[in-house]
Amino acid sequence: MAMLEIVDFGKRFTIHHLGKTMPAIQNINLSLEAGEFIGIVGKSGSGKSTILKSIYRTYLPDEGKIMYDSERFGETDLAQISERQMLYLRKYEIGYVSQFLSVMPRTTCRQLVTNALLEMGESEAVALKEAEKALAHFELDPKLWDSYPNTFSGGEKLRLNIAMATVKKPRLLLLDEPTASLDQQSKIKVREIIEKLKKQGTTLVGIFHDIEFMDGLCDKVYDMQTRQLTITKEVVIHES
Amino acid sequence: MLEEPILQVRNLRKQFGTGCMECAEVETRKLEKNFCKNCGTVYACQDISFDLYPGEILGIVGESGSGKSTMMQCLYFDNEVSSGEAFINTPELVSNNVFELSAQKKRSIRNHVYGMVYQNPVHGLKMNFSSVGNIAEKLIAAGNRNVGQMEATSKKLLENVHIPLHRMKEEPRNFSGGMQQRVQIAKALSNNPPILFLDEVTTGLDLSVQANVLDLIKVIQRDLGISMIVVSHDLAVIRMLADRTIVLLNGKIIEEGLTDQVLEDPQHEYTQQLVYSLL
Ligand SMILES: Nc1ncnc2c1ncn2[C@@H]1O[C@H](COP(=O)(O)OP(=O)(O)OP(=O)(O)O)[C@@H](O)[C@H]1O
Ligand SMILES: Nc1ncnc2c1ncn2[C@@H]1O[C@H](COP(=O)(O)OP(=O)(O)OP(=O)(O)O)[C@@H](O)[C@H]1O
Ligand SMILES: [Mg+2]
Ligand SMILES: [Mg+2]
Ligand SMILES: [Zn+2]
């Protein structure tokens, strides 16, 4: 099977105090193979983040299927899988990077990345070594390694975020606007990071408002507006 | 996954008061929150059921009076349940409803299987014993007799929670709130319990001390693999610590899920209120 196949997926939000139920997305169908990189595009509010968060179970999926080919559980519907199984997948198979950093307070940058590995059961020594390798890899200045990330710039926070997610070598990585609000220099870095991840065989789902920036990297683009999945060679991006 | 829960709780009920004709039937009773206006009975915990898995932190949130502490005290046998079952998945205890065990067996569970950190350190510590003495007391209860070894163990535990060596012989009543909580945690950990209950451990501590205690709890989970139930009305604390979260209202579970899901996509009207009011 494909690595990820989303079938007739839909998600609605019920806001009780407004007495309203709002369909956020409906009829989403897309699929990607292992090692592919898919970009999701669409205007603000079209439901891009909702798809990613539903894959990761931050949002409770309610219609359709999210089939994932798990190393541990085989073919599974992420919309139906138990909470414990989802926690397992988050630890070992699926990573999520948002544009915001939310971490334990007063924990140093180095410790945060180390912790991600300790939680997977790595030994202290290995975890520390791998963490430092990841921080260097994502070009975080060693001067920052022992400081608290709440003082970091947007780009530094993002690279730390990516380091924490990728140090665990997830098979499937979800990226929610990893280039938003970054300067050109940092954006180029993120592109390079994604390039490296792709070379390592990571399957990637990314949301980008400037998908052109990922030219040549994306294998497929899913357009929220047309509900079309295109192979990028022939991609037509609808202006929002 | 073939994973077994370490603790299973089924239909835990706790009422204060005998009930009356109007409130005896679960299906038809009309309560003011958790309270029968006719007879004054408080239904503090109503049919609480959940599983706790090895190595996980389960968060419990809910407003004041929702029954969080009562539930913890029932699990820890400080309070007798009105009805319900709890099963601990260790070879000696498996398939026994621990609520029905003898007082002696319950004491043994407290001494060997459970650790408890109370919201109020006064309930968890003897304020007129030294910190080392407090821990030694728990070690003795767990069957230790070697004085030298106990002192060494106590010091190690206190060191792990960052109580300076020169203050270990001091009585915790002289300590700050954060230090008292850390001594309580050291004491609760002294018998290597597989299950740890933490009731509002960071409430009332200032932010830097709070961060300290939260970090300590995370380290305990990671390094010792202890399963924990963490009660807090502070959603930030729950977000930081808990893998899964249960929301209590008027003694009932109204919602449960992965912590980030409960906080970002709350399903129940009350949970939405709770979450949105803090955004
Ligand atoms: N937690 C939530 N509760 C209620 N409604 C939500 C929630 N999250 C998203 N929505 C609604 O779902 C719709 C899709 O939102 P989503 O965040 O997925 O859009 P998006 O395409 O990522 O937009 P943007 O480009 O601005 O990030 C919006 O109408 C939004 O208001
Ligand atoms: N010994 C008691 N006798 C009578 N009622 C009690 C007793 N102990 C607790 N209650 C009642 O049981 C209900 C649950 O109380 P509990 O202390 O468990 O709440 P809680 O969720 O821990 O609240 P808080 O967040 O304020 O600590 C409350 O209505 C309380 O008044
Ligand atoms: Mg978005
Ligand atoms: Mg309480
Ligand atoms: Zn009554």
Side-chain angles (χ1 to χ4, degrees), chain A residues 112-179:
Chain A
L112 284 166
V113 185
T114 308
N115 286 352
L117 287 163
L118 290 175
E119 270 154 30
M120 291 177 77
E122 285 293 357
S123 72
E124 193 94 33
V126 172
L128 189 62
K129 204 168 126 229
E130 289 294 313
E132 288 176 353
K133 229 162 70 186
L135 289 169
H137 182 78
F138 294 128
E139 294 167 43
L140 272 150
D141 193 328
K143 283 198 300 257
L144 296 173
W145 293 5
D146 289 311
S147 27
Y148 302 133
N150 56 341
T151 60
F152 287 13
S153 77
E156 289 161 353
K157 276 185 186 161
L158 179 71
R159 274 179 279 140
L160 169 60
N161 234 349
I162 296 181
M164 285 196 304
T166 56
V167 76
K168 308 203 285 183
K169 304 215 164 54
R171 310 164 73 225
L172 175 63
L173 186 61
L174 313 170
L175 300 159
D176 195 343
E177 305 247 16
T179 52

Side-chain angles (χ1 to χ4, degrees), chain B residues 120-135:
Chain B
N120 189 339
V122 168
H123 295 136
L125 295 175
K126 295 235 161 62
M127 288 298 174
N128 55 345
F129 279 28
S130 72
S131 300
V132 169
N134 263 286
I135 293 174

Side-chain angles (χ1 to χ4, degrees), chain B residues 188-241:
Chain B
L189 289 176
S190 62
N191 58 340
N192 290 318
I195 300 172
L196 184 61
F197 302 116
L198 300 148
D199 193 356
E200 306 273 7
V201 266
T202 59
T203 307
L205 304 180
D206 72 49
L207 282 181
S208 71
V209 183
Q210 194 172 6
N212 224 307
V213 174
L214 294 180
D215 190 49
L216 176 65
I217 294 169
K218 265 298 197 200
V219 170
I220 291 167
Q221 178 197 29
R222 216 176 49 221
D223 296 355
L224 306 176
I226 294 177
S227 311
M228 297 184 232
I229 300 182
V230 172
V231 161
S232 181
H233 60 254
D234 185 344
L235 292 181
V237 168
I238 294 293
R239 182 189 282 275
M240 216 80 77
L241 293 179

Side-chain angles (χ1 to χ4, degrees), chain A residues 11 13-16 53 57-60 72-73 83-85 87 90 104-106 115 118, chain B residues 1 3 53 56 208 215 218 222 240 243-244 256-258 260-261 264-265 267 269 272 276:
Chain A
K11 165 73 185 162
F13 293 99
T14 300
I15 311 293
H16 291 285
K53 288 183 178 177
R57 188 65 75 78
T58 298
Y59 287 172
L60 208 57
R72 174 75 166 76
F73 307 115
E83 287 161 10
R84 291 292 298 168
Q85 285 178 309
L87 285 171
R90 285 180 177 193
M104 287 286 284
R106 288 171 205 257
N115 286 352
L118 290 175
Chain B
M1 230 169 356
E3 182 196 36
Y53 286 89
E56 86 166 332
S208 71
D215 190 49
K218 265 298 197 200
R222 216 176 49 221
M240 216 80 77
D243 304 306
R244 296 188 303 128
E256 62 94 25
L258 295 178
D260 55 327
Q261 184 256 297
E264 291 192 38
D265 186 18
Q267 305 293 306
E269 180 170 9
Q272 292 188 353
Y276 300 157

